[in-house]
Amino acid sequence: MKSWRLFIAALLLCSMAACHQPGEPSPPPAIPSATEDATPSGLSPTPEPSPAPSPSPSPPAPPRETPAYAVVLPDGLPDRLAFDTDEVGSRYYEEASPTLRPRPDYGRLYPFVGAAAGDGWGSITHYLGLCTEEGQIVVDPVYTNVEIVEKDGKMMYALQRYIELEGDVTFAALDGSWAVTYQDSDRSFLRYEAGYYYYVANQEYISVYDGTGWGAIGYDGKLVYPCRERFPVQFSEGLAVVWSEDGERYSYVNIKGQTVIGPFEAPEPLDGDAQIWQYFWRSQHFNYGLARFQEDGLYGFIDKTGKVVIEPQFDFAAGFFGEYGVVGTYNNIAIDRKGNRLATAGKHIETVDETTFIIHGGVIGGLHHDRVLMNSAGEVLSTRVLTRQLDNGWMVGDYSDNPSRLEKDGEVIKLPYQIWHGLPEDRFVFYRYDDELEQSVQGIVDKTGAVLMEIRKGNVEVLPSGRIQTSRWERGVGYYGLWDVDYQPLLPTRYQFLTDYGDYFAARDGYFGGLLDKEGNWVVRRSLLDTLLD
């Protein structure tokens, strides 16, 4: 037995000796050089790219060490990167430019993708810079998000930086002629409408924080309310809620900072499961001329003069939507503007529009239905399962209904699809599953059933511009494309990042990012290798 073990050991030693060749290992294949744009850390630019070396016929190199938070390439760099080093664009400033320097002569500025980095969990953060229409880089890629905020015809950029738990937000003109920076901003507040709490994205003014307190600016960047409050200053219907230093009382002020109503006692948070209906319990904004208040643990409503129009009598109040409000711990009571109870539901009540709502699980007028549609006078309008009002005014049932039955102003149509969203001109986003192809299909259909566009194995989303963004996922990676407003393909579904900024699009295609025009040509094209692999 001992001799057998020695024999096996000798064979293993011989095998190891045959596999190991003495001498230095071959160097890894050279990575073609490329012009380095300034990254979020503010690196200075380097010279223009040099020609890529020819591939070496040497044996495969050992795997390169990959630092943490890097993208691991299984077999080294793709062959195409050995020659695909073309970069497009130039610099407005020779030195690194990590902030926007306001000037009147840039022309319109556009965001471009200039850097990307992983977080170690499979998520990629794309960093955006700003460039001119001619492709001159004005701001290096330092922003984690760039949005266009708009109200009443006024538009500006919100440029957000958020790195290692610190950041700021810069509001700037689209042409870069002015810019103001704050430590933080709050551009939305929680509001009750159509049966749900939702965020009002474009409120009357934008609340900003300068490090000492909260104030508000207009959509031209000008400060309209000084930064002095403890909490965000969010105006609704001309009035904003401001809180005392101890947070125990609040009042309503106008844009001049004058106290108009109050003070009132801060409402007490609900306990247990009821918190789901009262999260963000400081939401005291005016909605359709009325705002809730609390006294001795009960809720009532006041108007904009401070007059009590509905005495405190409810254990909870969500808010008013048109002619009626929803109250009760579980939003299960509908009331009119005088506080009269219109209906009580076993589950909860969802608003539909300003004059109708849906009762869930209730017994109304002797009718036993899981869901019934009622008006603000308490009259049953329909006992059909019509649970959603789409953005274009059509009523429809559950997302899973197929075929879907839709109603609007007495007109009834049926479509052989699941209807998800409503679009202008009586069009809809639909979904169906093709059994023959074994694929899901989404697209746009009009009310006659004519399919205007569809894609397979993907999703469609209508953007504020009216364009349709397509998306699909493969092996955990998302790919995006665009269709124009006339339902014609604009950009193929091949980009790992794609944001519509009007005439141009910030995009990432593999190991390159930049700015595309409508024809898919790069106005700015930068290598992302350094940031993806470092």
Side-chain angles (χ1 to χ4, degrees):
M1 180 65 71
K2 183 175 182 180
S3 62
W4 178 79
R5 290 178 179 175
L6 291 174
F7 175 72
I8 295 299
L11 284 177
L12 289 174
L13 288 172
C14 291
S15 176
M16 292 172 62
C19 293
H20 177 69
Q21 299 295 327
E24 293 296 324
S26 301
I31 302 175
S33 60
T35 301
E36 295 183 0
D37 195 6
T39 64
S41 58
L43 299 179
S44 58
T46 59
E48 290 297 317
S50 57
S54 301
S56 172
S58 59
R64 59 181 285 178
E65 291 187 6
T66 305
Y69 310 109
V71 176
V72 179
L73 302 177
D75 300 313
L77 300 179
D79 291 339
R80 70 181 184 89
L81 292 178
F83 54 84
D84 189 3
T85 60
D86 293 336
E87 294 196 348
V88 180
S90 60
R91 297 189 62 83
Y92 197 95
Y93 300 103
E94 292 185 2
E95 69 277 10
S97 182
T99 58
L100 176 59
R101 312 176 200 182
R103 290 176 61 107
D105 54 355
Y106 289 130
R108 173 68 188 269
L109 297 180
Y110 289 93
F112 71 96
V113 177
D119 62 0
W121 298 94
S123 177
I124 301 292
T125 298
H126 295 88
Y127 294 91
L128 304 175
L130 294 176
C131 67
T132 66
E133 288 189 77
E134 294 75 27
Q136 289 183 300
I137 295 174
V138 173
V139 182
D140 291 313
V142 296
Y143 303 116
T144 51
N145 188 45
V146 177
E147 296 180 64
I148 296 178
V149 292
E150 178 182 5
K151 190 172 183 65
D152 298 331
K154 297 179 180 179
M155 294 188 296
M156 63 181 178
Y157 279 126
L159 311 167
Q160 295 175 306
R161 295 194 297 183
Y162 190 76
I163 303 172
E164 296 181 354
L165 302 182
E166 294 185 0
D168 56 36
V169 57
T170 297
F171 295 97
L174 300 186
D175 62 1
S177 58
W178 59 262
V180 290
T181 299
Y182 292 92
Q183 288 189 16
D184 199 1
S185 73
D186 192 339
R187 293 185 288 114
S188 62
F189 63 85
L190 208 63
R191 183 170 182 168
Y192 179 82
E193 195 158 302
Y196 300 96
Y197 283 106
Y198 74 105
Y199 283 101
V200 178
N202 289 346
Q203 50 183 297
E204 296 171 18
Y205 302 99
I206 297 174
S207 189
V208 293
Y209 181 72
D210 68 354
T212 62
W214 287 90
I217 62 172
Y219 286 78
D220 54 4
K222 295 180 180 179
L223 190 68
V224 296
Y225 191 95
C227 296
R228 66 188 184 194
E229 303 297 341
R230 180 181 178 188
F231 297 104
V233 181
Q234 300 165 327
F235 281 87
S236 176
E237 301 185 8
L239 298 177
V241 177
V242 295
W243 295 82
S244 62
E245 285 297 322
D246 58 8
E248 297 295 326
R249 295 175 306 281
Y250 66 93
S251 302
Y252 292 91
V253 299
N254 58 24
I255 192 61
K256 297 180 180 180
Q258 301 167 332
T259 299
V260 178
I261 308 172
F264 298 93
E265 294 182 2
E268 299 179 0
L270 297 178
D271 297 326
D273 295 337
Q275 288 181 353
I276 191 172
W277 300 115
Q278 200 183 12
Y279 65 104
F280 294 97
W281 54 278
R282 290 183 180 276
S283 179
Q284 307 301 111
H285 309 290
F286 273 92
N287 204 17
Y288 290 85
L290 298 178
R292 67 179 186 175
F293 76 101
Q294 189 185 60
E295 184 178 288
D296 297 329
L298 297 176
Y299 282 88
F301 288 88
I302 59 172
D303 63 19
K304 292 174 68 175
T305 68
K307 177 183 176 182
V308 176
V309 295
I310 299 177
E311 292 293 335
Q313 55 187 289
F314 308 107
D315 56 2
F316 177 69
F320 263 81
F321 183 53
E323 295 302 314
Y324 63 86
V326 177
V327 297
T329 302
Y330 295 95
N331 285 359
N332 59 357
I333 302 172
I335 62 174
D336 63 19
R337 296 177 72 88
K338 295 181 180 180
N340 300 316
R341 299 193 181 202
L342 304 177
T344 301
K347 293 181 181 178
H348 63 275
I349 293 174
E350 292 181 9
T351 57
V352 175
D353 56 31
E354 296 184 13
T355 58
T356 56
F357 52 90
I358 295 170
I359 306 296
H360 286 250
V363 180
I364 311 298
L367 299 175
H368 294 254
H369 293 283
D370 179 57
R371 285 170 287 197
V372 296
L373 185 68
M374 299 185 65
N375 64 16
S376 57
E379 300 170 336
V380 176
L381 302 179
S382 173
T383 60
R384 298 182 182 275
V385 183
L386 297 173
T387 62
R388 294 182 293 135
Q389 183 181 43
L390 305 177
D391 291 339
N392 56 8
W394 286 86
M395 288 291 299
V396 68
D398 289 335
Y399 286 96
S400 59
D401 286 357
N402 188 5
S404 293
R405 185 181 189 275
L406 299 97
E407 294 184 13
K408 179 182 178 181
D409 300 331
E411 183 180 2
V412 178
I413 61 175
K414 289 186 178 181
L415 296 174
Y417 311 105
Q418 297 177 25
I419 299 300
W420 285 9
H421 304 290
L423 304 177
E425 300 179 1
D426 293 334
R427 295 172 178 176
F428 311 91
V429 176
F430 75 86
Y431 168 89
R432 67 180 176 86
Y433 186 81
D434 193 310
D435 293 321
E436 184 176 340
L437 299 175
E438 295 185 348
Q439 291 179 344
S440 61
V441 177
Q442 283 194 34
I444 309 295
V445 64
D446 65 18
K447 72 175 186 177
T448 69
V451 175
L452 306 176
M453 68 159 287
E454 67 175 23
I455 62 170
R456 297 172 181 174
K457 296 180 65 176
N459 300 310
V460 299
E461 177 185 357
V462 180
L463 303 178
S465 64
R467 293 191 175 111
I468 298 95
Q469 185 172 72
T470 59
S471 62
R472 60 183 170 83
W473 286 81
E474 293 183 4
R475 298 179 180 180
V477 178
Y479 296 89
Y480 304 91
L482 276 178
W483 289 51
D484 220 333
V485 293
D486 56 357
Y487 305 108
Q488 296 299 315
L490 186 63
L491 295 173
T493 310
R494 58 171 289 176
Y495 302 98
Q496 292 83 39
F497 181 97
L498 187 63
T499 301
D500 182 0
Y501 290 107
D503 293 332
Y504 297 89
F505 315 95
R508 173 192 161 203
D509 184 8
Y511 298 98
F512 290 90
L515 183 71
L516 292 169
D517 63 17
K518 291 181 180 179
E519 286 71 43
N521 301 315
W522 292 101
V523 179
V524 171
R525 184 176 189 254
R526 310 308 257 180
S527 171
L528 307 180
L529 278 175
D530 291 338
T531 53
L532 277 174
L533 298 180
D534 284 347

